[in-house]
């Protein structure tokens, strides 16, 4: 594990560059393959009924879901009707190191970005307690992450998130708008077929 670095000048946002070494990344991907085997990736629909370009699944007590009829929300089951699998131990270990004061996370969103996938600017605001941080782990191809403030339409900063990077959004950054403009498909050798995985850990209740 490497030290902390702070190229992002956003209060409450901390980027741990290269937090996971290659071995740790491979171990995590193996654990995520098991998650996806029991809770397959799916393409949620936005509130407008458009399928998102990012495919998703979740681990933990709650998983994130969206469809045209009810919009964005947490669900206790995968759309196939099965419980979400437990959050893998190596993922929980990252949370314990970077957010030692926080309560344990009960949702781990697994985002998969294939070639051309992106995620528009949004806030994470479906949780009950915004004093608890959001921890995000990047694996595979580099992603151009953009972060602004709590108001929509304000100035933003961009940073490339690389495989093994961990980003903590706490304090003022907890409700910052953020998104992923694009990925550099094929820039990492971690995933055989290319693409980017992002894990987002949160306390929901
Ligand atoms: C998200 O906000 O859900 C994902 C962010 C990322 O992919 O880095
Ligand atoms: Mn988000």
């Amino acid at each position: 594990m490497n030290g902390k670095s702070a190229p992002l000048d956003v209060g409450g946002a901390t980027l741990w560059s290269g937090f996971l070494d290659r071995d740790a990344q491979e171990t995590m991907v193996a654990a995520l393959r098991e998650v996806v085997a029991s809770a397959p990736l799916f393409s949620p629909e936005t509130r407008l009924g458009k399928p998102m370009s990012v495919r998703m699944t979740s681990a933990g007590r709650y998983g994130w879901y969206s469809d045209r009829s009810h919009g964005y929300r947490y669900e206790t089951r995968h759309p196939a009707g099965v419980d979400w699998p437990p959050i893998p131990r190596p993922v929980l270990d990252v949370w314990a190191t970077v957010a030692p004061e926080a309560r344990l996370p009960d949702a781990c969103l697994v985002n998969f970005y294939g070639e051309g996938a992106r995620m528009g600017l949004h806030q994470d605001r479906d949780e009950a307690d915004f004093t608890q941080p959001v921890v995000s782990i990047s694996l595979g191809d580099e992603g151009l992450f953009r972060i602004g403030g709590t108001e929509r339409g304000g100035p933003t900063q961009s940073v490339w998130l690389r495989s093994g990077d961990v980003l903590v959004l706490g304090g003022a950054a907890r409700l910052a708008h953020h998104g992923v403009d694009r990925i550099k498909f094929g820039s990492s050798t971690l995933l055989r077929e290319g693409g980017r995985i992002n894990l987002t850990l949160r306390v929901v209740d």
Side-chain angles (χ1 to χ4, degrees), residues 86-202:
I87 302 176
R89 171 56 50 190
V91 177
L92 290 172
D93 288 345
V94 172
W95 176 278
T97 304
V98 302
E101 323 264 270
R103 287 160 51 205
L104 287 180
D106 44 26
C108 174
L109 173 63
V110 180
N111 287 313
F112 179 76
Y113 296 74
E115 192 163 13
R118 56 183 302 281
M119 189 177 293
L121 279 180
H122 64 277
Q123 290 173 295
D124 288 6
R125 50 177 315 145
D126 297 319
E127 302 76 34
D129 182 358
F130 298 135
T131 68
Q132 301 300 307
V134 170
V135 172
S136 116
I137 303 172
S138 293
L139 295 164
D141 290 340
E142 295 175 26
L144 186 58
F145 183 82
R146 183 201 289 263
I147 181 166
T150 49
E151 303 298 321
R152 222 187 151 72
T156 62
Q157 295 175 42
S158 294
V159 63
W160 282 100
L161 294 180
R162 302 196 167 84
S163 198
D165 287 355
V166 174
L167 177 65
V168 182
L169 298 180
R174 176 60 181 79
L175 286 171
H177 284 82
H178 61 275
V180 173
D181 288 341
R182 61 194 157 90
I183 68 162
K184 257 186 223 166
F185 188 76
S187 56
S188 162
T189 56
L190 185 67
L191 305 175
R192 239 169 291 124
E193 314 283 322
R196 172 176 187 261
I197 296 172
N198 172 265
L199 305 180
T200 304
L201 291 154
R202 308 189 191 99

